[in-house]
């Protein structure tokens, strides 16, 4: 008899939107892989420290340092570098040194990613599509990074060009709604009404919605009604 509940598929990862804003992220290495990792964590507003001899920096990492986007420690890794780290990203071509970093992180309970060594990773970097607030990650759980890139491009090709802009407007409307319906008891009703807006309005109308339209739309919240943009502007 088929179950009405989702089937469990073991062997996956728990994919989360990890908030590292304002946290200290340590990057060990300064090559191409390190450069990609740095972009990811800078986009998440982390404080980034790169430990690598200057001779090992590629052009992109050197640019981040010169622009003051990251802090640079000009020497090989030392265990004391972990003292203030909330996350460690290791990208060096030295398996023994990488394993040492991972073991030190495990002992200190610091989440770590050791590039190209899946068994020594507490988390993986997937292939990410970014459009403003919209982020979509494709992960192969360490099996095939190139395949993740291919799948991510296919997914991105199927998305509307204005998806990110529409999400920005939805976020603004949601914040305004919280000012109208402030109590915790209103939570379920807020969520249900916002879902109706997202389902009823096309992306083009969400993008075109201005502050005046939002105020008029919010006037229909108490009745749980969701008129169209044309109806709001006609009224």
């Amino acid at each position: 008899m088929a179950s009405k509940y989702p089937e469990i598929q073991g062997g996956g990862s728990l994919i989360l939107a990890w908030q590292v804003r304002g946290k200290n992220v340590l990057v060990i290495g300064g090559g191409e892989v390190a450069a990609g990792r740095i972009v990811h964590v800078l986009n998440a507003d982390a404080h980034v420290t790169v430990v690598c001899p200057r001779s090992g920096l590629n052009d992109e990492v050197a640019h981040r340092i010169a622009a003051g986007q990251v802090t640079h420690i000009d020497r090989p890794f030392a265990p004391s570098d972990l003292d203030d780290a909330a996350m460690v990203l290791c990208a060096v071509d030295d398996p023994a040194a990488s394993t040492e970093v991972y073991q030190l992180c495990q002992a200190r309970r610091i989440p770590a990613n050791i590039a190209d060594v899946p068994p020594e990773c507490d988390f993986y970097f997937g292939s990410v599509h970014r459009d403003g607030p919209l982020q979509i990650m494709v992960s192969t759980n360490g099996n095939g990074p190139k395949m993740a890139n291919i799948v991510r491009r296919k997914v991105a090709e199927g998305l509307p060009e204005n998806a990110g802009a529409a999400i920005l407007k939805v976020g603004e409307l949601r914040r305004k709604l919280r000012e109208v319906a402030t109590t915790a008891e209103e939570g379920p009703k807020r969520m249900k009404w916002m879902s109706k807006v997202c389902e009823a309005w096309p992306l083009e109308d969400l993008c075109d919605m201005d502050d005046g339209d939002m105020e008029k739309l919010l006037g229909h919240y108490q009745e749980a009604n969701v008129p169209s943009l044309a109806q709001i502007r006609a009224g």
Side-chain angles (χ1 to χ4, degrees):
M1 181 175 178
S3 172
K4 64 179 180 180
Y5 302 112
E7 182 181 349
I8 302 301
Q9 301 180 52
S13 299
L14 182 62
I15 297 181
L16 304 170
W18 196 344
Q19 296 297 313
V20 295
R21 181 182 298 109
K23 295 183 179 180
N24 296 320
V25 175
L26 178 68
V27 178
I28 303 170
E32 182 179 354
V33 174
R37 302 289 196 254
I38 289 168
V39 170
H40 280 302
V41 289
L42 285 179
N43 281 340
D45 299 325
H47 298 310
V48 182
T49 298
V50 176
V51 178
C52 181
R54 187 166 295 276
S55 60
L57 302 176
N58 78 354
D59 290 343
E60 182 176 351
V61 178
H63 164 73
R64 303 291 176 198
I65 294 168
Q69 296 173 345
V70 303
T71 299
H72 180 219
I73 300 177
D74 185 7
R75 57 163 172 74
F77 167 78
S80 59
D81 295 328
L82 300 176
D83 288 349
D84 297 319
M87 174 189 290
V88 172
L89 311 176
C90 183
V92 297
D93 293 325
D94 186 333
S98 296
T99 295
E100 180 186 3
V101 169
Y102 181 68
Q103 291 173 345
L104 288 168
C105 290
Q106 288 286 286
R108 297 193 185 203
R109 297 185 178 181
I110 302 172
N113 174 278
I114 310 301
D116 206 30
V117 189
E120 296 183 351
C121 291
D122 296 310
F123 56 92
Y124 302 122
F125 281 87
S127 184
V128 177
H129 170 73
R130 179 76 184 270
D131 180 5
L134 176 63
Q135 291 179 266
I136 299 173
M137 188 185 87
V138 176
S139 173
T140 60
N141 288 298
N143 287 288
K146 183 60 179 179
M147 284 302 302
N149 285 330
I150 293 172
V151 174
R152 185 259 306 163
R153 288 197 298 268
K154 291 291 185 181
V155 171
E157 288 170 3
L159 293 173
E161 292 183 1
N162 53 359
I167 291 170
L168 282 173
K169 290 297 182 73
V170 167
E172 188 176 347
L173 178 65
R174 189 167 176 240
R175 286 188 290 273
K176 289 179 178 290
L177 176 58
R178 286 185 173 274
E179 297 173 0
V180 173
T182 59
T183 65
E185 291 75 15
E186 290 274 358
K189 182 178 178 180
R190 284 197 307 262
M191 292 175 62
K192 185 175 181 179
W193 188 78
M194 282 300 309
S195 294
K196 289 175 66 175
V197 172
C198 294
E199 292 169 357
W201 283 40
L203 291 176
E204 292 76 16
D205 286 356
L206 289 170
C207 291
D208 197 34
M209 178 172 52
D210 58 27
D211 287 343
D213 298 326
M214 289 186 191
E215 295 300 329
K216 292 178 181 178
L217 179 57
L218 288 169
H220 295 268
Y221 165 73
Q222 291 300 338
E223 293 78 27
N225 185 30
V226 179
S228 67
L229 179 61
Q231 289 171 328
I232 284 176
R233 290 181 173 176

